[in-house]
Amino acid sequence: RLHGRLDRAYAARPDDDAVDRALAWLAEEHALPRAPLDALLDGYLWDVEARRYQTLSDVIGYGVRVAGAVGVAMSWLMERREPHVLARACDLGVAMQLTNIARDVGDDARLGRLYLPGAWLGWDEEARAHWLAAPRPTEAIRDATRRLLDHADVLYLRADAGIGALPAEVRPAIRVARALYAAIGDVVRERGHDSVSARAFTSSTDKVRLAAEALALEGRSSLRAGIGAGERAALYAPPLPEAAWLCGPAPRERVE
């Protein structure tokens, strides 16, 4: 049903709903490709289907759809449509999603969901079902959570270079969002990578401090002339293999 609404909005025949009319206008006014929106809906469908994620690539593929696609669409609307900028926007979205997964291991388990790569856990079907029935912060779960956060950190660092390529008026907000999300991963680490016993969160005081630090970083970055070799290499790094189809000059139709 939602894909049908997209079909009609992109055919300039939106349903008689304010959201659909606004989307039709947005798509035409900004030439917004529908691929990121289709990808987002597919990610939702994967949740409904209770899809299993055996490898890190599987998890990243999910993250590309439910979060990386949002970054691509936002970058497009900010009129930064170069493939390398789209790739870094996707990196940031996926990094945030990996952080979400690491934070929500316990909450997801209580809903019957497990997003940590199955291959990292080495469980058979019986062991998986047993753990979901009574989630515990086992050594395997803690180690998989740690590894996922390590991968998120790599993507946060790559995304940093892309933030500098965005319009000046949006960079402060993006830097603050990046800082707040990455800090959730730091809290999970401080708790020994146990996000089963309790959900990690940052305090209001920490949020204010992190926002101030991010804004100060943006202020310093805006005063620099040019970028260094390392930052340039990060900015022009290839997209995630799982996201290459979404980060070209014209994002292609969604792929399974």
Side-chain angles (χ1 to χ4, degrees), residues 173-192:
I174 302 298
R175 288 200 189 277
V176 169
R178 179 259 194 246
L180 295 181
Y181 256 88
I184 294 170
D186 294 337
V187 175
V188 174
R189 288 189 179 92
E190 291 167 4
R191 295 181 176 181

Side-chain angles (χ1 to χ4, degrees), residues 28-139:
E28 181 177 0
E29 184 74 10
H30 293 276
L32 177 66
R34 65 171 286 171
L37 305 183
D38 276 323
L40 184 64
L41 294 185
D42 282 350
Y44 295 162
L45 180 62
W46 288 11
D47 279 336
V48 173
E49 295 173 338
R51 185 174 291 216
R52 302 285 184 88
Y53 303 98
Q54 185 65 11
T55 67
L56 175 62
S57 180
D58 293 339
V59 176
I60 289 175
Y62 171 74
V64 166
R65 285 161 175 79
V66 298
V70 177
V72 169
M74 289 175 63
S75 184
W76 196 273
L77 293 175
M78 294 172 191
E79 298 189 354
R80 292 298 186 272
R81 302 166 182 179
E82 303 90 335
H84 62 278
V85 178
L86 298 179
R88 302 293 75 81
C90 196
D91 285 345
L92 182 56
V94 174
M96 289 177 166
Q97 185 60 34
L98 296 184
T99 302
N100 276 343
I101 291 171
R103 178 195 62 193
D104 295 341
V105 174
D107 288 347
D108 286 332
R110 286 179 276 275
L111 294 172
R113 297 174 176 176
L114 180 62
Y115 293 95
L116 297 174
W120 291 0
L121 299 171
W123 294 344
D124 59 20
E125 188 62 28
E126 182 179 356
R128 182 181 188 275
H130 179 76
W131 184 83
L132 283 173
R136 296 177 296 112
T138 65
E139 188 61 33

Side-chain angles (χ1 to χ4, degrees), residues 171-173 175-176 210-220:
R171 290 199 300 263
R175 288 200 189 277
V176 169
L210 290 163
E213 291 173 355
L215 293 174
L217 174 61
E218 171 54 30
R220 292 192 298 272

Side-chain angles (χ1 to χ4, degrees), residues 1 44 74 95 111 116 120 128 149 155 166 196 222 245:
R1 185 164 62 248
Y44 295 162
M74 289 175 63
L111 294 172
L116 297 174
W120 291 0
R128 182 181 188 275
L149 288 173
L155 295 178
L166 296 174
V196 177
S222 66
W245 62 277

